[in-house]
Amino acid sequence: MTLKSKRLIAVVIFIAISSASASLLLAKSKPKKSVAQMDDSQRALHALNRLTFGPRPGDIDKVKAIGVDKWIDQQLSPDKIDDSALQSRLEPFRTLRMDSRTLVQNFPPPQVIKAVADGRLRMPSDPKERAIYEAQLENYKNRAERKAQNDNAAATKSDDGNMANDMAPEAMDRRAERREARMNANSDADALLQKSPQDRFNAVLKMPADERRIMVQGFQPEEREKLLQGMSAEQREQLQALANPQGVITNELVQSKLIRAIYSERQLDEVMTDFWFNHFNVFVQKGADRVLTTSYERDAIRPHALGKFKDLLMATATHPAMLFYLDNFQSVGPNSIAAQRGGGRGANLANNRNQRRETFFQRIGLAPQPRRQRPQQQRNPNNMDPNAAPKPQRGVNENYARELMELHTLGVDGGYTQQDIIEVAKVLTGWTIKQPQLGGSFEFNDKLHEPGEKHILGQKINEDGEKEGKKVLEMLAKHPSTAKFISRKLAMRFVSDTPPQSLIDSMSATYLKSDGDIKEVLRTMFKSPEFWSPESYRAKVKTPLEFVVSAVRITGSDVSNAQPLAQTLQRLGMPLYGMQPPTGYSMKADAWVNSAALLNRMNFGLALASGKLRGISVNKDLLMKDSMPPADADAAVAVISNAILAGDISQQTRDTIRKQLDDPTLNQRNVTDPMKQLGVIAGLVLGSPEFQRR
Amino acid sequence: MALTRRVFLKNSALAVVGTTAIPSFLTRAAFADVNSTGKKRMVVLFQRGAADGLNIVVPHGEPTYYQMRPTIAIPRASVIDLDGLFGLHPSMAAFKPLWDSKQLAIVHASGSPDNTRSHFDAQDYMESGTPGVKSTEDGWLNRALQKEWEKQSPFRAVALGTALPRTLAGPNPAVAISNINEFGVGGRNAGPAAGGLSNSFESMYAQSVDSVLHGTGQETFEAVKMLKSADPAKYTPAANANYPRGRFGDSLKQVAQLLKADLGVEVAFADIGGWDHHVNEGSTQGQIANLTREFSQAIAAFWTDIGNLGGETVLVTMSEFGRTARENGSRGTDHGHANVMFVLGGPVKGGKVYGRWPGLDSRHLYEGRDLEVTTDFRTVLSEGLSRHMGNSQLASVFPGFRASGKDFLGLIG
C-alpha cells in the first residue's frame, strides 16, 4: 500500500513536471508553425466538433452564448440535460426497453424455432406471436427442403459428373405453385393497401405464411412502407418479425444508435457510449449476441460511460454479451469439479453438453430431447489412431483473458505475459451464462472454476471462487498501464491521431488519482493546453459514423428512417455493431482515407443533399438561416458553405462549386432554380475535403 | 507523425496534375496490349483471425495430431492425401487439381518469428513485413513496388474492400475498391450530371492543401477515369469459374476482372476473415469446413477465370499466426504460432509441401504448445518477389531481414 501511494506521488510529480515542460515546448513550437490561436467561434466549433457528433445549425452561437467552458461542464453532467425530444423519437423502438428474455420470446431465434419444429417447445397461444412462429417454421421447413434439394443435386453431380440442374418433380410442382401464388398475391396487394391500418394488419396476419412472404417479396420499398403506414409501433414490429424476427432487434438497435447520435442533447454521453462500446466491442451477428447486444449497450455500457472505469469493466466482464462474444462462458478449469466428473482429468464433453442442454430446455418447460449420441469412436470409425482415442478434455479458453488485458485494460505493451493470460483465464473459469440462447444472465458456476491459487502480474491470487475474478478486474482497472492505455485512446478520439505524451501523462495522473473516474479524466483533457492548441483544430479525419452523422446534423435533416444511413455506414466499412474482431474500429485517419471510401462519402453527400435518401429530408430553411431564398447562385454558395463549414472552406473549393453550377448538364436538367441548386451545392460541400475533418 | 502514406514526398509532385491534364493512362493506353505476356503480377491473400493451419493442411501421418485434437481432428479417411504425411481438409477439394497440375505449392510450419499472439500486432507485423518493429510506417507490399510510379497505372496496387490494408500503406499510390461497378461519383446509377460532379470533386481534392486527402483524391480520380474507359464489367467470369457466394469470392472475381481488363495491376490484395475459432471449430463439418470451402473454391475459381494470365501470376496466402496444436476446452483452438502458406502460380513448382516439418511432439512445440516456425514468411515472399517479380531490392522490402537465393525454398523457377 505505502509503496503504491509513494509511486502515485512520484507519478503525480513527474507529470506535473512533464506537463510544465510540455507547455513550454508547445509555446516554443507555436511561432515556428505560425498557427493562430483559435478565436471564440473557432473554440466553440472545436468543442462541438470534439464533444459532439458535429454541430447543428445555430449550435456555434448557442455554445458561444453559454460560454464554452460552461457548455463543456453541462455536457459532462448529462443527467441535468433535458433529452425528452429524443425520448419521444425513440418511443417506437420497443425492443430497446425489453429485457433479453422478452426479446427471445417475441422475436424467436432459430434455436427456438427448431425446438418448436422438433416438438420440444409449444407454440405461443397469442395469435400475434403465433403468426411470427408460424412464419419462421415455414421458413425453416423451406430451408430444409432447399438443403435436401441441393444435396440431391450434389449427389447427381458426383454420380455422372453432369452439372444438370435436376430438380425433384415435387420441387418443380412447388415452384410452379409459388409462381401462381405470387401472381395472385400481386393482384390482392392493391386491394390490401386500400384497407385501414387495422384491417391491413389483420389481413396480413391471417395470410398463410408462404403467400405473405411472396407478397412482401414482390413489393417495392414504397409499397412496403405503405403496408405499414398508420400502424402502431408494435404492429409494425410484428409484421417485420414475420419476415425476420431477429432483424427487428438489430434494426432497432442500429436505427436508435443513429437517432441518438443525431438528436440527443446529451452529445458527449452519446460520444462516450459509442467510444466505450467500441472499446469493449462485441459483434451483434455472433449467435446469442443478436439478442444480447441491446441489453449490453443499455445496461453495461451506457450507465458507466462517464462513470468509473472499474464499474464499466466489471459490467462488461459480467454481461452475457461479452461472455458469449469472447467465449469465456465456455471456459472450464481443467481441474474443476465439472472437468473431474465423468472420468479423471478429462471430463466427457459430450456428456456435459447433454446435461447443459437438458437444463436449457427443461427450464423453458420442454421435455428433454434424447440427444443423438455421437461418441468419438462412432463418429470417426476406423479413422483415428486406435491407440490415441483420448477423451475430449474441457479446459480453459484464453480468448477473453487475452483481450481483457490487450484491448480492454493494460494494452498490448502493458507488461503481461502469455502465462498471465493463462492464469487470468483460470481465475475467470466459472464466469458463465445461464441459458445463453434464451437471453440468459451472468452466473458464477463454482463447478467450472479452476481450484488453487493463481499468480498474475507477480501477485498471488488466493483461491476464492468468484471473488478472484473481481479482485483481478480491480487490479487491472487501477494498473498504471491501464491508466495510460485508456488516456491515450481517449486523447486519440478527442485530440489527434498522435496525441502529445504530455497530455497522456496528465490524463493518466488524473486517472490514478481519481480511481479511474472517466469524467475527471475527460475534464483534465478538455482543460489541457494540448486540447486547445491550434494544431488540434480540425486535426481529426472523421470516421464514417462521424462523417454521416455530422452531415445529417449540420443540414438540420429530419430522419424518419435511419436505415439508409446504416447502409451507407456498411458501404463505408463501418457497419454499426458489425465489427467482428474484438479490436473495435480504428479512430485514425489511415484506416478511413482510401479511394473506395472517399467516393462513397461524396456519393452520400450528394444523395443526402438532393433528398435521395428515403426517409431523410434536409431542412433547407434551417441550413440557409435568414437567407432564404438566396439572391443568386453566388449567394447560395456563400451561405451554404459557411453554414456547413463555418467559414473553414478554401477559396478553391468555393470556386469549384460555383463553376459547377454553370455545368450545362445541370442546366439541361432544369437545375437553374437556386432552390434546386442548393442540393448540388450542399452535396459538393459535404463531399469536399474540408468536411472530412472535424 | 501520423501513420499515413500521405506524409511522403509524392504530394508535391501530384499537385501539378490538375483536372485538365491528360491522365497518364490515356497516353499509356496507346501501348496497352490486352492480355499481353510478360507482365508479372502477385496476388496476396490474407486469412484474418489466425487460421488453423493444422486443420487446413492436415499432418495426418502424425499420430500425435490425433491425440492432441480428439474432437476436431480431421479423420484420416476424410483427408485428401497429398504425400502420405500431409493432406488437405476434405472441403478443399477444389485445390486438388491445382496440386495435381503442380501449380499449387504448400509451405508448412511457416510464419512470423515474433512471439506475439495478439491478432492486431501479428497482422500488423505480417503486413508491415517487420516483425517486432512497430514503428514501420509502410507495408511490405507497397515497398515491393519499387519502380518509378508516375508512369504506372493507378491500379498498379489495388485492394478489394472498404479499407486500404496496412500492407499497401506507403509512398506508392494504391487504391481500395469495394465494388468496381460502383466505383465512381454517382455510384452504380450515375446520372447525366455525374461527370460534371466528378470533375468538381476531383478539382477540389486536387487543389486541397490537406495532404492526407489530396493524395488519395488524386489517385481515386485517376483510377475512376481509367476504370470507366476500360469497363471491366464486360469481363464476366469464365464459364467454369464458379465463385462461391460471399465477400471473398466477390473480391477475387473483381481482381480477375481488373486483370483481364489489363488495367496494369501489379499487385492485388484481398482478405477473408472469420478464422478465429476458439469454440466449436468443427472438423470435416462445421466452421472450419465452411470457411476452407469458401476459401479454396474462390481461389480455384479465380485461377480458372484468369486462364492464360495465370502463367504470369503468383498468388500467395498468409494468416497472422497459427493455432494451438492441442484443441482447447471448448472444441476450438487458441492462439498459436506457425501456420501454413499456399503459393499458386504458373511459375510455381507445385505439388510439393515445402519447409522443414518440426513435428507435433511436445519437445518440438514452440513454448510447449504451438507448431514451431521453421520458415519465415518473409523467405517465401522474398522468393516470390525476387524470382517472379524480378525485385532485386529485397533489403528495402524487408529491412533487417536477409533472405538470399540460398535461403529460398525453390518454390519458383
Side-chain angles (χ1 to χ4, degrees), chain A residues 405 416-424 426 455-456:
Chain A
M405 290 194 277
Y416 61 93
T417 64
Q418 173 64 32
Q419 193 52 40
D420 287 324
I421 292 170
I422 294 171
E423 294 286 293
V424 170
K426 284 183 189 164
H455 298 266
I456 290 159

Side-chain angles (χ1 to χ4, degrees), chain A residues 157 163 286 327 329-332 349-350 353 374 376 379-385 387-399 402-403 406-407 412-413 416 418 422 497-498 541 570-574 580 582-583 588-600 602-603 606 650 652-653 656-657 659-660 663 665-666 669 680 683-690 692-693, chain B residues 1-6 63-64 66-73 75-78 116-121 134 161-164 166 174-179 182-187 192-201 203-205 207-213 216-217 219-221 223-224 242 273-280 283 324 327-331 334-335 367 369:
Chain A
K157 188 181 161 193
M163 260 306 284
K286 179 172 177 175
D327 306 319
F329 83 111
Q330 297 246 21
S331 190
V332 177
L349 184 56
R353 283 173 63 87
R374 295 193 304 176
Q376 207 56 50
R379 204 153 60 89
N380 303 323
N382 312 321
N383 295 336
M384 311 263 292
D385 182 343
N387 299 325
K391 288 239 171 73
Q393 192 173 306
R394 298 187 80 184
V396 293
N397 189 307
E398 296 170 8
N399 204 9
R402 176 188 309 280
E403 308 305 6
E406 177 183 333
L407 300 174
V412 72
D413 301 317
Y416 61 93
Q418 173 64 32
I422 294 171
D497 285 5
T498 49
V541 168
Q570 203 136 17
R571 267 198 295 280
L572 287 169
M574 198 179 195
Q580 192 180 15
T583 45
K588 291 169 72 175
D590 52 338
W592 304 115
V593 177
N594 64 67
S595 311
L598 274 192
L599 287 170
N600 279 323
M602 294 167 199
N603 288 337
L606 291 171
S650 69
Q652 289 94 322
T653 298
T656 304
I657 295 172
K659 223 160 62 193
Q660 170 69 46
D663 183 336
T665 46
L666 280 183
R669 287 168 65 233
V680 175
L684 287 168
V685 176
L686 294 175
S688 72
E690 287 89 338
Q692 307 314 312
R693 288 187 176 268
Chain B
M1 203 55 231
L3 177 66
T4 135
R5 53 212 221 77
R6 312 298 162 210
T64 328
Y66 292 98
Q67 285 160 16
M68 291 175 142
R69 299 183 161 212
T71 73
I72 63 162
R76 236 185 144 163
S78 308
T116 183
R117 290 185 182 89
S118 148
H119 291 297
F120 185 80
D121 272 4
K134 288 196 174 173
T162 52
L164 194 70
R166 173 80 162 88
V175 292
I177 299 184
S178 42
N179 185 333
E182 292 172 2
F183 192 73
V185 169
L197 293 168
S198 184
N199 287 342
S200 289
F201 278 126
S203 169
M204 282 183 201
Y205 280 80
Q207 294 170 40
S208 174
V209 293
D210 188 323
S211 61
V212 176
L213 295 163
T216 305
E219 290 154 20
T220 304
F221 286 104
V224 165
N242 299 311
W275 299 93
D276 197 16
H277 297 147
H278 286 275
V279 169
N280 291 335
S283 166
T324 46
E327 72 176 71
N328 66 14
S330 24
R331 299 187 176 209
D334 290 321
H335 299 183
E367 295 182 355
R369 50 183 264 159

Side-chain angles (χ1 to χ4, degrees), chain B residues 3 37 41 82 95 128 210 240 256 271 382 385 389 405:
Chain B
L3 177 66
T37 52
R41 296 168 212 97
L82 297 176
F95 269 6
S128 72
D210 188 323
N240 44 352
D271 55 12
S382 294
L385 290 174
M389 303 295 282

Side-chain angles (χ1 to χ4, degrees), chain B residues 261-334:
Chain B
D262 196 31
L263 288 166
V265 174
E266 193 174 318
V267 300
F269 178 94
D271 55 12
I272 173 171
W275 299 93
D276 197 16
H277 297 147
H278 286 275
V279 169
N280 291 335
E281 177 171 321
S283 166
T284 56
Q285 305 285 323
Q287 295 188 76
I288 185 84
N290 295 336
L291 210 50
T292 48
R293 185 178 304 112
E294 181 183 354
F295 178 69
S296 58
Q297 285 182 354
I299 293 171
F302 170 74
W303 206 250
T304 305
D305 198 4
I306 63 169
N308 290 338
L309 298 177
E312 301 141 13
T313 307
V314 167
L315 177 153
V316 57
T317 74
M318 65 198 75
S319 186
E320 66 263 32
F321 42 71
R323 308 192 70 82
T324 46
R326 297 177 188 89
E327 72 176 71
N328 66 14
S330 24
R331 299 187 176 209
T333 42
D334 290 321

